[in-house]
Amino acid sequence: MRSTSSSRSGEMATSMLLRTACLRTRTFATSPVSCGNKAIAYRKHGNPSEVLSVLSFADLPPPPPNTANVRFRLSPINPADINVVEGVYPAKPAPFDFCSQDAPVYVGGNEGLAEVVQVGDGVKELRKGDWVVMTKPQVGTWTSARNVGVQDILKVPSDLEEAQAATLTVNPPTAYNMLHDFVHLEKGDWVVQNGANSAVGQAVIQIAAANGWKTLNFIRDRENIGSMIGYLKDLGATQVATYDQLADKAFKDQVKTWTGGQSIRLGLNCVGGRTTTTMARLLGQDAHLVSYGAMSREPLSVPTSLFIFKNLTCHGFWQSQWYSRKSRQEREKMMENLVGLMRHGKLRCPEHEVLTIGGSEKDEEKISEVMKRLQDGRYGKKVLLKVLA
């Protein structure tokens, strides 16, 4: 995000607070300061199941001008958050100085729903009890509380479900903007995507269905493939197929039957590798392929013939960059559209599970276990952290 005086004030206040913080990890430090707040943090990059710890820190001081003290209600664990902890993600969080430790400390999390507790001078658009979400990347949301600049947050309606609001700023906007920014889709047009059961993929299905756009969705084969296909179709998917089906040369004929020979104008890729190369061949003339992830960790190779004979255009998309380039009014407008879909039941929250962290001796074991399962792709649900003070 662009640097603002309010965001700098929030960072200075947080830094000043954390210099007096109390540390509670595998090694202990003592302090006379009341340490009611907690955060999930790390000192060095590495395997999240090994480097994350639970820290305790002091109560927040009154907020400086143009900032607000907030209490986090729910904070998701997204795949990118894991990559940040591993040190392989391009966006880097600012270090927090807990107890003046030798090594810098970083708080995880990029997304979350918070409640305003107190506002500083000059803040007129927010009041105590308001719900807000973060629009500044890598704020550090896996915490019970923190101070934030008002330019780095957006107010959201408190009549949403907590899980809906907590997952509002990353996956649904990614889906929404990819569907709107690259191709002018009309009712009845087709979109093809891989990773269709991901949080973004599910949002793509629902937003497309709400606009009358049809989707061809690819997922990996699994034991419960029938129930997964049923779940995605219940969300609004037009057709669902597996990567094994996609690899079959005869599958193109099936696609033509499904689409009635209509050209597919937009492809969305979060996988990369050979499956995306094959999927790209399904795209029609003057189509656009948008990549927003690389779950296979394999390079994306697109045949030159698609560029020459089909005039294919390839793009990359990163939601954090979108936020940094758009005005506050544009960000608010997008959020209003997404909230409207949620209120009308056209955009559901992905299946999720809440993991509560709150002073238990087993907190770090719980975090380690959930990180292992997420890294292995064995969770199957979105994990939302509730970090209690």
Side-chain angles (χ1 to χ4, degrees):
M1 297 294 292
R2 298 181 181 88
S3 176
T4 64
S5 59
S6 59
S7 63
R8 286 195 297 270
S9 297
E11 290 166 0
M12 290 174 63
T14 301
S15 177
M16 181 172 61
L17 159 69
L18 295 175
R19 289 179 186 276
T20 62
C22 304
L23 178 64
R24 191 195 67 79
T25 61
R26 295 176 182 87
T27 60
F28 291 80
T30 59
S31 170
V33 181
S34 173
C35 298
N37 288 305
K38 292 180 176 58
I40 300 170
Y42 55 101
R43 291 187 179 82
K44 62 180 180 180
H45 293 302
N47 188 325
S49 66
E50 299 173 359
V51 301
L52 289 171
S53 299
V54 179
L55 308 180
S56 297
F57 62 95
D59 294 338
L60 296 173
N66 300 313
T67 72
N69 287 349
V70 300
R71 175 177 65 85
F72 279 91
R73 300 177 70 97
L74 285 177
S75 302
I77 302 176
N78 291 312
D81 297 328
I82 293 175
N83 295 150
V84 171
V85 177
E86 292 172 330
V88 298
Y89 198 71
K92 308 296 182 184
F96 291 165
D97 186 6
F98 281 91
C99 292
S100 299
Q101 298 295 304
D102 293 336
V105 177
Y106 306 89
V107 174
N110 182 57
E111 182 179 35
L113 168 66
E115 180 180 337
V116 175
V117 176
Q118 188 178 7
V119 299
D121 292 340
V123 180
K124 298 180 180 179
E125 64 270 29
L126 294 172
R127 64 179 63 183
K128 182 178 180 180
D130 283 346
W131 281 12
V132 294
V133 293
M134 312 296 113
T135 60
K136 179 180 178 180
Q138 306 307 321
V139 162
T141 58
W142 297 350
T143 180
S144 56
R146 67 164 300 148
N147 176 266
V148 292
V150 294
Q151 293 301 314
D152 300 328
I153 56 179
L154 286 177
K155 182 179 175 180
V156 295
S158 57
D159 61 346
L160 294 177
E161 297 177 11
E162 282 194 359
Q164 285 182 317
T167 57
L168 183 59
T169 61
V170 175
N171 296 315
T174 298
Y176 182 91
N177 290 321
M178 290 193 302
L179 287 169
H180 286 85
D181 289 1
F182 299 97
V183 176
H184 178 69
L185 295 169
E186 298 180 352
K187 188 174 181 179
D189 281 346
W190 281 85
V191 177
V192 62
Q193 68 165 338
N194 53 32
N197 60 311
S198 67
V200 172
Q202 292 181 42
V204 165
I205 289 170
Q206 295 174 85
I207 295 170
N211 285 275
W213 307 325
K214 299 178 180 180
T215 56
L216 171 54
N217 304 274
F218 290 105
I219 59 176
R220 62 177 175 81
D221 203 354
R222 64 196 71 206
E223 291 184 3
N224 62 337
I225 187 65
S227 61
M228 175 57 70
I229 290 174
Y231 173 73
L232 295 178
K233 286 197 170 184
D234 185 54
L235 291 179
T238 311
Q239 298 293 344
V240 183
T242 67
Y243 299 129
D244 292 338
Q245 290 175 281
L246 176 62
D248 186 343
K249 291 183 179 180
F251 185 69
K252 271 192 171 184
D253 294 332
Q254 178 64 70
V255 173
K256 288 181 181 179
T257 299
W258 283 341
T259 63
Q262 187 176 348
S263 177
I264 300 177
R265 303 179 59 203
L266 179 64
L268 306 178
N269 163 50
C270 67
V271 177
R274 292 182 181 180
T275 58
T276 304
T277 303
T278 308
M279 187 182 78
R281 296 182 185 276
L282 300 177
L283 295 170
Q285 193 72 26
D286 299 320
H288 294 253
L289 177 64
V290 184
S291 295
Y292 65 99
M295 292 170 60
S296 69
R297 302 200 176 187
E298 297 177 0
L300 172 60
S301 177
V302 179
T304 304
S305 60
L306 296 184
F307 295 107
I308 296 175
F309 302 115
K310 285 192 173 181
N311 196 33
L312 174 68
T313 302
C314 292
H315 311 264
F317 182 81
W318 188 20
Q319 184 60 38
S320 294
Q321 191 172 70
W322 187 95
Y323 281 128
S324 70
R325 292 179 174 178
K326 299 298 181 178
S327 67
R328 186 176 182 85
Q329 289 72 27
E330 289 173 306
R331 298 196 300 268
E332 289 177 342
K333 180 62 177 177
M334 178 199 64
M335 289 294 177
E336 288 174 6
N337 290 336
L338 291 173
V339 168
L341 290 172
M342 290 178 176
R343 281 176 163 166
H344 288 89
K346 296 181 178 181
L347 182 58
R348 308 180 205 168
C349 179
E351 291 187 328
H352 59 275
E353 182 176 298
V354 176
L355 178 65
T356 301
I357 302 298
S360 167
E361 293 181 357
K362 295 185 177 181
D363 280 345
E364 288 175 358
E365 293 180 18
K366 290 159 64 175
I367 294 168
S368 179
E369 179 58 28
V370 75
M371 289 297 171
K372 288 177 183 176
R373 292 178 62 188
L374 287 170
Q375 288 174 286
D376 292 343
R378 293 185 287 117
Y379 220 104
K381 296 181 180 180
K382 175 69 69 178
V383 179
L384 307 178
L385 294 169
K386 180 181 283 293
V387 184
L388 302 178

